[in-house]
């Protein structure tokens, strides 16, 4: 995106703009504040596809009633370290934060806690909840199912969700956070490249003729993104969907996909209290030694080897200093809200 196509907005200005809009659309102040903060933080961290670029769609879903701004999550079932919640179509960010916190509370009491969440909405950036848990000293494994957007390996018709998966572990003052979709590139990322007129950095899916391509517009048109690891990503996407539906008591991708709007998805949050393991005092040095060894794997080359989440921290610092780059047309659309 060229400089004349974008504006730079400070984090505070972006968060305040989101807050004003949410309040004008009837959100309670505490809910508006949390949602605005998460949308702004996603943008600050460089995940524009699930921050500033997604905000207008979120507002439209509120206006159309797919997202129930006044709903609250409701406990359905509890047994030991396991809970199942009904999200009641409340904002996905608020539901996901609530269930992450419940998983943390269960882990604090039991060493591990698992929360299944049914009937919720898009959680935006899955990594949000990984960072949230890791900064509190907990490891987190979490995932969501989605509407069907990806064919199984060897198929042409989309039957799988891209079902983002999150792993997070505390590390130094930040965290190691892996946040990935089961497609090689998320649709949001492909739209970002397509709008910029750029090719994907690697093959990302098939065109209408069934040929592998790195041209995002052709993949979006064909509806055939490539699963990560080919058949392995296809299998992983399937099992994440199966487990999300089982553990939450909610809908599977096939049920979510009976409408064209992605809503009433199922999610899982598993928190682990690392202070409860026998060697807890050695965890920091263990993780540090693993990362040090990882970075030594490219000692003869100038390319920097990064662990998951390291680039996010760099982008955050750059955007705090220079302002968050926002597509000018996206910003104008937000201002109209």
């Amino acid at each position: 995106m060229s400089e004349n196509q974008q504006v730079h907005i400070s984090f505070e200005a972006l968060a305040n703009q989101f807050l004003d809009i949410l309040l004008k659309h009837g959100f309670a102040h505490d809910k508006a504040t949390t949602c605005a903060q998460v949308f702004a933080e996603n943008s600050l961290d460089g995940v524009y596809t699930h921050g500033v670029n997604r905000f207008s769609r979120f507002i439209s879903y509120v206006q159309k009633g797919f997202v129930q701004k006044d709903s609250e999550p409701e406990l359905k079932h509890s047994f030991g370290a396991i809970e199942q919640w009904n999200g009641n179509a409340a904002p996905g960010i608020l539901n996901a934060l609530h269930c992450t916190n419940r998983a943390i509370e269960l882990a604090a009491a039991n060493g591990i806690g698992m929360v299944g969440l049914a009937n919720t909405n898009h959680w935006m950036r899955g990594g949000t909840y990984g960072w949230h848990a890791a900064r509190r000293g907990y490891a987190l494994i979490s995932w969501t199912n989605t509407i069907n957007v990806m064919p199984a390996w060897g198929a042409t018709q989309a039957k799988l969700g891209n079902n983002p998966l999150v792993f997070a572990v505390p590390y130094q003052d930040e965290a190691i956070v892996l946040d990935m979709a089961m497609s090689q590139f998320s649709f949001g990322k492909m739209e970002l490249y397509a709008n910029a007129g750029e090719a994907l950095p690697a093959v990302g899916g098939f065109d209408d003729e069934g040929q592998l391509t790195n041209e995002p517009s052709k993949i979006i048109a064909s509806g055939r993104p490539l699963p990560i690891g080919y058949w392995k990503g296809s299998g992983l996407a399937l099992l994440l969907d199966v487990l999300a539906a089982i553990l939450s008591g909610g809908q599977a991708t096939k049920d979510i996909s009976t409408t064209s709007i992605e809503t009433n998805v199922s999610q899982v949050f598993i928190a682990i209290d690392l202070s409860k393991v026998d060697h807890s005092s050695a965890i920091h040095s263990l993780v540090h030694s693993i990362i040090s060894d990882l970075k030594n794997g490219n000692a003869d080359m100038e390319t920097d080897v990064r662990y998951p989440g390291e680039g996010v921290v760099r982008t955050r610092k750059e955007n705090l200093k220079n302002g968050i780059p926002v597509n000018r047309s996206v910003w104008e659309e937000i201002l109209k809200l």
Side-chain angles (χ1 to χ4, degrees):
M1 186 164 53
S2 65
E3 285 296 326
N4 62 354
Q5 292 179 302
Q6 64 184 20
V7 292
H8 286 80
I9 312 297
S10 72
F11 173 77
E12 292 78 10
L14 190 63
N16 287 335
Q17 185 66 46
F18 290 155
L19 176 61
D20 287 345
I21 293 168
L22 290 165
L23 291 173
K24 287 177 181 177
H25 282 82
F27 275 72
H29 196 277
D30 58 337
K31 293 182 177 183
T33 300
T34 300
C35 286
Q37 186 77 10
V38 171
F39 271 108
E41 287 177 351
N42 291 352
S43 309
L44 181 69
D45 287 357
V47 190
Y48 312 110
T49 55
H50 292 85
V52 64
N53 290 3
R54 189 96 182 193
F55 185 75
S56 293
R57 190 189 307 182
F58 173 73
I59 293 298
S60 74
Y61 280 17
V62 171
Q63 292 173 321
K64 295 173 182 176
F66 300 120
V67 175
Q68 295 291 317
K69 65 181 186 297
D70 297 318
S71 287
E72 300 284 349
E74 176 184 10
L75 180 64
K76 298 190 301 179
H77 176 73
S78 176
F79 183 82
I82 297 173
E83 289 185 353
Q84 292 173 304
W85 287 74
N86 184 342
N88 289 319
I93 289 171
L94 301 179
N95 277 344
L97 280 172
H98 174 83
C99 288
T100 300
N101 286 330
R102 280 304 302 148
I104 288 172
E105 290 166 0
L106 290 167
N110 301 284
I112 189 169
M114 191 218 77
V115 175
L117 173 62
N119 303 321
T120 190
N121 280 295
H122 198 304
W123 64 3
M124 300 305 149
R125 175 178 61 151
T128 292
Y129 316 104
W131 290 99
H132 182 81
R135 285 170 177 155
R136 287 155 180 77
Y138 292 80
L140 186 79
I141 304 170
S142 185
W143 67 94
T144 180
N145 61 12
T146 72
I147 201 167
N148 56 9
V149 294
M150 182 173 69
W153 181 249
T156 57
Q157 187 175 357
K159 293 293 184 180
L160 297 174
N162 63 0
N163 303 346
L165 172 65
V166 177
F167 288 89
V169 177
Y171 180 56
Q172 297 180 339
D173 295 330
E174 291 288 351
I176 302 170
V177 181
L178 178 66
D179 177 7
M180 65 178 191
M182 293 301 105
S183 53
Q184 185 67 36
F185 296 93
S186 69
F187 272 85
K189 182 67 72 173
M190 287 192 287
E191 288 170 356
L192 205 62
Y193 276 94
N195 291 338
E198 298 176 1
L200 299 171
V203 167
F206 298 89
D207 60 22
D208 286 329
E209 284 72 47
Q211 300 298 312
L212 286 168
T213 179
N214 64 349
E215 296 186 45
S217 57
K218 291 185 177 181
I219 300 168
I220 293 170
S222 72
R224 293 183 61 188
L226 187 67
I228 59 169
Y230 305 108
W231 50 90
K232 295 181 180 181
S234 175
L236 182 55
L238 175 64
L239 265 296
L240 289 172
D241 178 39
V242 170
L243 282 169
I246 290 173
L247 296 176
S248 71
Q251 294 192 122
T253 288
K254 70 178 185 65
D255 306 307
I256 299 164
S257 305
T258 55
T259 66
S260 60
I261 300 297
E262 184 180 271
T263 187
N264 294 321
V265 301
S266 303
Q267 297 170 353
V268 178
F269 305 83
I270 302 172
I272 303 167
D273 186 348
L274 299 178
S275 70
K276 299 290 196 295
V277 301
D278 181 58
H279 58 289
S280 59
S281 62
I283 288 176
H284 175 77
S285 59
L286 171 63
V287 176
H288 182 71
S289 68
I290 293 170
I291 296 302
S292 296
D293 184 63
L294 175 77
K295 287 184 169 292
N296 286 334
N298 208 23
D300 298 330
M301 300 180 67
E302 295 182 1
T303 306
D304 185 22
V305 176
R306 298 183 300 183
Y307 60 81
E310 187 175 4
V312 167
V313 176
R314 293 181 184 180
T315 301
R316 185 186 305 150
K317 291 177 180 177
E318 291 173 1
N319 284 347
L320 276 173
K321 178 182 178 181
N322 303 319
I324 299 167
V326 181
N327 183 287
R328 190 177 298 275
S329 62
V330 169
W331 183 239
E332 290 172 354
E333 182 180 356
I334 289 172
L335 293 177
K336 291 177 183 177
L337 293 174

